């Protein structure tokens, strides 16, 4: 995913322009996927719950694209964007979302557990901070196998208050494991505002407590995320251990489908909607409104095709219900 | 859901040692709305929102309980209680015994369990039997609004640590609930329906599914007796044993996976009792398949017992076709 063979213009001094344009497209695709997901939910075409990352797309765009295909991803419950940016196939993703056999997890996992082990995408997460201790094991395995791989572990501000966060960071630090801890601080854990859940100003302050590099960046700035992740990856590959990156952003939608959002004001949401990461990145790339419309139309068309694919895919057969539990 | 809320509200009005602590229980009102509005009446000092820290929540209720408070903890989805296990199992459950019987640990931990909402493998489990296996804890599982309020109030007044398992799909059920405070003693099985052909022991949401099955079977002339233990621990064995003596047949139905589930315990209770001599068929269990809960709606449906499965299983047992 990284690398720039052609003598291409580098956006922000780091991101090749053609790649940047692809990322912009995938950001729009993520948003379109999620808007469509909302609609399907309202129409009763999907069940369960879902966590939308609308407004947070820059973090996904700037993170996994800064890594290599051979690296590992440990995703969160709010991970549609990361899944796509890692290289996930839209059709199979949609099929999973709709619980179909052609989905990445044969319809067994759904949005909260979507994984693609083949591409080192080790899964989204239904348990807050559940992926953090696992990243220690993946990091250890990389060290033992002596490869130059790294792990990208995603989680939210809320996850940083689970015991698992602390155990994981400490272990990764003492063993210099190649883990990139990327905290998506969208300022709320469900209804819990950051200020009510922390006595400190920034999650990244905690890095010092474990002896690792910690930094806070603008999570709505693709370039800032891309830079921070690239640097963390370089550090990790050199054997210099883990990094804690806190990317500050904002969730535009409710936490999940049951959220009446009584814990924040409309003004606050509006204020952040004006800091739209997609518009912002489009501006950086010099993409004008007309071009943006084209990109959106393309994303809509791709989503439409994916829904068609998923709808045509069969439901899992009940006779196979017990498959896949044991090796 | 309203029954539980009313129970908590009345307990808090009556006893200022009672408070509620958990994730998003304040302004949000709880993930399923059970605590909605309580913060307006009691304020954030008694309706306490926590960070996402389930071990911390368990520790908080235990520590407060042994020092004179009567906390109610909420675990948003019962699945997350696995993070609280050390505190609950190693500390809360054993403290009284380890301290020579000198400490009271009067807390209630409410947990929302069960499948049927499309929430997939990490948000749909039925873990009650893990706690049945831990001496020192009591395990309560209401199946109706009336029982929910009465059992909750009894649990709050009890001086022991109590795991109170609610089923998400039952939050929306309706039923008569007295306005005043009342308690249903812990450790009393409830004969929900009388019948002579088969004893059907069911827990939580399976009680209402069993009732529907019994209605259907009644049309075929099969009379099912349904017993809801209501508290899995302590278990009131007598009504179960008496019933099996009467019917000679027992079917146990629960949502939790079959292997290692509470059904095995119930079967053993029947087998070890005088009812054994009266059995004219094997004791049968109908339970969740031994698998995580799938996301796909249809698979999820088939992973746990439904009314038609209960009808079929009960009919076979009564007709000797097992
Ligand atoms: C162990 C555990 N506790 C609680 C939950 C319920 N829950 C799911 S997401 C969430 C909020 C997570 O907040 P954060 O980590 O900030 O991520 P965000 O949702 O904001 O992206 C909560 C409380 C859970 N899934 N797992
Ligand atoms: Mg958050």
């Amino acid at each position: 995913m990284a690398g720039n063979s052609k003598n291409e213009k580098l956006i922000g001094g780091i991101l090749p322009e053609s790649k940047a344009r692809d990322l912009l497209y995938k950001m729009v695709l993520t948003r379109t996927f999620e808007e469509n997901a909302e609609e399907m939910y309202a129409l009763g075409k999907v069940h369960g719950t879902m966590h939308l990352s609308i407004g947070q797309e820059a973090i996904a765009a700037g993170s996994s694209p800064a890594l290599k295909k051979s690296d590992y991803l440990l995703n969160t419950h709010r991970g549609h964007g990361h899944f796509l940016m890692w290289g996930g196939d839209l059709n199979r993703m949609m099929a999973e979302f709709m619980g179909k056999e052609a989905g990445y997890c044969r319809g067994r996992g759904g949005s909260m557990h979507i994984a693609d082990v083949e591409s080192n995408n080790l899964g989204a997460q239904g348990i807050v901070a559940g992926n953090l201790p696992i990243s220690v094991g993946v990091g250890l395995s990389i060290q033992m196998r002596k490869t130059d791989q790294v792990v990208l572990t995603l989680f939210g501000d809320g996850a940083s208050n689970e015991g698992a966060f602390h155990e994981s960071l400490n272990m990764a630090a003492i063993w210099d494991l190649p883990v990139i801890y990327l905290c998506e601080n969208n300022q709320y854990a469900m209804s819990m505002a950051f200020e009510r859940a922390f006595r400190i100003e920034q999650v990244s302050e905690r890095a010092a407590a474990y002896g690792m590099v910690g930094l806070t960046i603008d999570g709505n700035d693709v370039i800032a995320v891309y830079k921070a992740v690239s640097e963390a990856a370089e550090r990790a590959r050199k054997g210099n251990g883990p990094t804690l990156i806190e990317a500050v952003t904002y969730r535009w939608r409710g936490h999940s489908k049951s959220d009446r959002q009584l814990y924040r004001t409309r003004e606050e949401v509006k204020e952040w909607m004006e800091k739209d990461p997609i518009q912002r990145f489009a501006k950086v790339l010099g993409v004008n409104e007309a071009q943006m419309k084209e990109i959106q139309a393309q994303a809509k068309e791709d989503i439409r095709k994916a829904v068609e694919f998923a709808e045509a895919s069969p439901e899992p057969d009940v006779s196979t219900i017990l498959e896949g539990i044991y090796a | 859901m309203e029954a539980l809320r009313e129970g908590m509200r009345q307990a808090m009005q009556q006893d200022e040692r009672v408070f509620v602590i958990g994730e998003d229980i304040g302004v949000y009102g709880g993930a399923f709305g059970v605590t909605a509005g309580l913060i307006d009446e009691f304020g954030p000092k008694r309706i306490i929102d926590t960070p996402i820290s389930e071990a911390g929540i368990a520790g908080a209720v235990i520590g407060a309980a042994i020092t004179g408070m009567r906390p109610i903890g909420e675990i948003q989805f019962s699945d997350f209680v696995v993070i609280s296990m050390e505190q609950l199992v190693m500390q809360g459950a054993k403290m009284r015994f380890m301290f020579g019987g000198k400490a009271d640990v009067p807390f209630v931990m409410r947990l929302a369990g069960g499948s049927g909402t499309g929430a997939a493998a990490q948000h749909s489990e039925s873990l009650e039997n893990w706690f049945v296996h831990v001496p020192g804890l009591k395990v309560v599982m209401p199946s109706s609004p009336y029982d929910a309020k009465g059992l909750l109030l009894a649990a709050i007044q009890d001086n022991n640590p109590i795991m109170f398992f609610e089923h998400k799909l039952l939050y929306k059920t309706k039923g008569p609930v007295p306005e005043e405070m009342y308690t249903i003693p812990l450790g009393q099985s409830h004969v929900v329906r009388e019948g002579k052909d088969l004893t059907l022991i069911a827990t939580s949401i399976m009680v209402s599914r069993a009732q529907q099955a019994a209605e259907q079977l009644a049309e075929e002339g099969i009379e099912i007796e349904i017993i809801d233990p209501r508290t899995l621990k302590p278990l009131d064995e007598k009504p179960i044993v008496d019933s099996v003596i009467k019917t000679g047949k027992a079917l146990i139905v629960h949502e939790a996976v079959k292997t290692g589930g509470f059904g095995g315990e119930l079967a053993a209770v029947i087998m070890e009792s005088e009812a054994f001599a009266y059995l004219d068929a094997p004791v049968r269990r109908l339970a969740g398949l031994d698998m995580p809960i799938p996301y796909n709606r249809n698979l999820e449906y088939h992973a746990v017992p439904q009314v038609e499965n209960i009808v079929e299983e009960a009919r076979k047992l009564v007709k000797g076709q097992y």
Side-chain angles (χ1 to χ4, degrees):
Chain A
M1 294 177 211
N4 174 29
S5 47
K6 294 165 272 176
N7 256 348
E8 218 181 314
K9 183 175 158 199
L10 291 179
I11 308 292
I14 187 165
L15 190 57
E17 189 174 9
S18 60
K19 181 168 178 168
R21 285 186 181 275
D22 180 50
L23 295 187
L24 177 67
Y25 174 68
K26 282 187 176 158
M27 287 170 84
V28 174
L29 188 63
T30 302
R31 186 167 296 183
T32 313
F33 177 90
E34 295 195 333
E35 285 168 350
N36 176 71
E38 265 185 321
E39 225 168 88
M40 288 203 296
Y41 187 90
L43 293 172
K45 286 192 183 174
V46 289
H47 73 161
T49 189
M50 68 183 97
H51 305 94
L52 306 179
S53 65
I54 296 179
Q56 309 184 185
E57 294 91 345
I59 302 177
S63 52
S64 42
L67 301 179
K68 298 184 188 173
K69 270 211 182 322
S70 54
D71 293 330
Y72 291 98
L73 175 72
L74 284 160
N75 204 349
T76 65
H77 57 283
R78 207 175 293 289
H80 299 138
H82 294 286
F83 196 89
L84 282 171
M85 294 292 174
W86 193 259
D89 172 67
L90 185 61
N91 288 352
R92 291 178 64 201
M93 181 182 173
M94 186 67 80
E96 186 58 35
F97 190 66
M98 293 176 72
K100 298 302 189 78
E101 189 65 39
Y104 272 101
C105 309
R106 304 181 61 198
R108 271 71 169 173
S111 152
M112 229 178 341
H113 305 299
I114 190 165
D116 178 29
V117 177
E118 258 172 57
S119 72
N120 290 354
N121 174 345
L122 303 181
Q125 192 48 255
I127 298 298
V128 167
N131 52 351
L132 283 140
I134 298 171
S135 51
V136 170
V138 179
L140 258 184
S141 149
I142 292 169
Q143 234 176 28
M144 289 171 168
R145 290 183 286 108
K146 298 192 173 65
T147 67
D148 79 336
Q149 293 162 291
V150 302
V151 194
L152 173 64
T153 302
L154 297 151
F155 55 99
D157 46 297
S160 317
N161 286 328
E162 284 281 12
F165 166 90
H166 300 272
E167 296 185 21
S168 172
L169 264 71
N170 189 50
M171 290 170 90
I174 59 174
W175 296 326
D176 292 324
L177 300 181
V179 184
I180 303 166
Y181 291 98
L182 178 48
C183 176
E184 302 185 276
N185 180 357
N186 58 9
Q187 307 178 52
Y188 289 91
M190 221 161 140
S191 67
M192 194 69 168
F194 186 89
E195 311 79 65
R196 294 172 63 216
F198 293 79
R199 262 285 177 262
I200 52 177
E201 303 278 312
Q202 298 180 325
V203 175
S204 64
E205 289 175 43
R206 292 186 175 171
Y210 303 106
M212 69 171 75
V213 177
L215 63 156
T216 296
I217 58 170
D218 180 347
N220 280 6
D221 178 355
V222 178
I223 303 294
V225 179
Y226 192 85
K227 268 192 182 141
V229 173
S230 301
E231 283 164 20
E234 200 183 322
R235 201 175 298 126
R237 288 191 219 282
K238 281 188 184 149
N240 293 334
T243 304
L244 171 59
I245 303 168
E246 172 188 20
V248 179
T249 183
Y250 196 85
R251 143 167 82 63
W252 290 11
R253 294 293 201 270
H255 165 72
S256 66
K257 295 323 294 173
S258 64
D259 189 353
R260 290 177 298 150
Q261 303 189 55
L262 302 173
Y263 49 84
R264 61 183 189 184
T265 62
R266 270 173 215 276
E267 290 71 47
E268 184 185 286
V269 180
K270 233 179 114 194
E271 205 177 291
W272 274 91
M273 286 177 73
E274 276 153 26
K275 302 181 202 171
D276 183 354
I278 294 183
Q279 294 299 340
R280 181 167 164 186
F281 195 47
K283 218 179 233 167
V284 171
L285 294 181
V287 172
N288 65 30
E289 226 167 278
Q291 291 167 315
M292 201 59 190
K293 285 237 158 70
E294 257 171 61
I295 293 174
Q296 284 161 342
Q298 180 63 48
K300 272 212 172 112
E301 177 57 14
D302 284 358
I303 293 290
R304 193 192 58 73
K305 283 191 204 142
V307 171
E308 217 172 81
F309 170 87
E311 275 175 345
S313 160
E315 287 275 327
D317 194 315
V318 178
S319 69
T320 66
I321 192 167
L322 288 170
E323 286 179 9
I325 301 169
Y326 294 101
Chain B
M1 164 149 65
E2 287 79 9
L4 290 165
R5 188 186 307 143
E6 189 171 83
M8 284 191 277
R9 174 181 292 127
Q10 289 172 341
M12 290 182 75
Q13 283 166 347
Q14 193 196 47
D15 185 345
E16 55 183 39
R17 296 171 302 170
V18 179
F19 69 92
V20 190
I21 183 166
E23 291 160 13
D24 307 288
I25 62 167
V27 173
Y28 197 100
F32 301 96
V34 178
T35 56
L38 291 183
I39 190 151
D40 301 328
E41 187 172 346
F42 300 104
K45 292 236 156 76
R46 291 181 78 194
I47 302 292
I48 305 173
D49 269 343
T50 69
I52 312 177
S53 309
E54 290 78 11
I57 293 170
V61 299
I62 295 166
I66 57 170
T67 51
M69 304 300 286
R70 302 192 83 85
I72 303 171
E74 178 176 302
I75 298 292
Q76 198 168 76
F77 286 73
S78 71
D79 312 62
F80 312 153
V81 76
V82 297
I83 296 164
S84 323
M85 286 311 261
E86 185 279 322
Q87 290 288 304
L88 294 171
V89 177
M90 292 299 138
Q91 312 297 337
K94 301 173 170 52
M95 208 168 246
R96 181 180 183 84
F97 176 78
M98 294 189 297
F99 297 175
K102 288 178 187 158
D104 282 339
V105 195
F107 72 76
V108 180
M109 189 65 94
R110 294 181 36 248
L111 314 100
S115 67
T117 65
Q122 294 176 337
H123 286 70
S124 306
E125 297 212 76
S126 301
L127 298 175
E128 63 276 4
N129 209 44
W130 288 29
F131 299 93
V132 172
H133 198 59
V134 179
L137 297 177
K138 292 188 179 181
V139 182
V140 183
M141 245 186 148
S143 65
S144 72
Y146 177 82
D147 284 1
K149 181 174 170 185
L151 290 168
L152 182 63
L153 284 170
I156 294 169
Q157 287 168 19
D158 196 283
N159 279 338
N160 295 285
I162 290 166
M163 305 300 290
F164 195 91
F165 281 89
E166 300 158 11
H167 198 292
K168 292 170 209 128
L169 295 184
L170 289 177
Y171 283 140
K172 298 226 165 89
T173 47
K174 293 197 173 10
V177 179
E179 244 174 64
E180 70 273 10
M181 285 179 93
Y182 62 93
T183 56
I184 296 171
L186 305 185
Q188 268 190 14
S189 294
H190 177 213
V191 180
V192 178
R193 179 190 177 104
E194 291 187 36
K196 60 177 181 10
D197 296 324
L198 168 75
T199 301
L200 195 161
I201 309 142
T203 58
S204 188
I205 191 155
M206 292 303 156
V207 175
S208 51
R209 289 190 190 156
Q211 282 172 301
Q212 291 173 52
E215 300 277 321
Q216 289 182 30
L217 288 163
E219 286 167 22
E220 302 173 18
I222 298 173
E223 293 302 330
I224 308 281
E225 179 145 304
I226 301 172
I227 301 183
D228 174 7
R230 296 197 291 206
T231 51
L232 309 195
K233 195 174 189 172
L235 176 66
D236 178 16
E237 299 176 3
K238 191 160 184 308
I240 297 168
V241 171
D242 287 349
S243 175
V244 178
I245 288 174
K246 180 171 79 176
T247 65
K249 296 184 184 68
L251 173 63
I252 299 159
V253 187
H254 59 62
E255 173 166 337
V257 296
K258 187 169 179 177
T259 306
F262 190 61
E265 183 60 31
L266 282 171
V269 162
I270 295 167
M271 241 80 91
E272 286 179 343
S273 76
E274 56 176 319
F276 180 73
Y278 295 83
L279 282 173
D280 50 39
V283 175
R284 302 276 298 175
R285 290 175 292 164
L286 178 64
L289 298 179
D290 279 328
M291 65 177 302
I293 297 295
Y295 168 67
N296 173 274
R297 205 190 299 243
N298 195 34
L299 294 186
E300 181 186 30
Y301 182 86
H302 283 93
V304 302
Q306 303 295 343
V307 176
E308 56 271 25
N309 308 119
I310 301 175
V311 168
E312 193 186 315
E313 200 62 31
R315 190 193 285 129
K316 276 203 253 174
L317 195 48
V318 169
K319 296 194 169 164
Q321 300 161 340
Y322 37 87

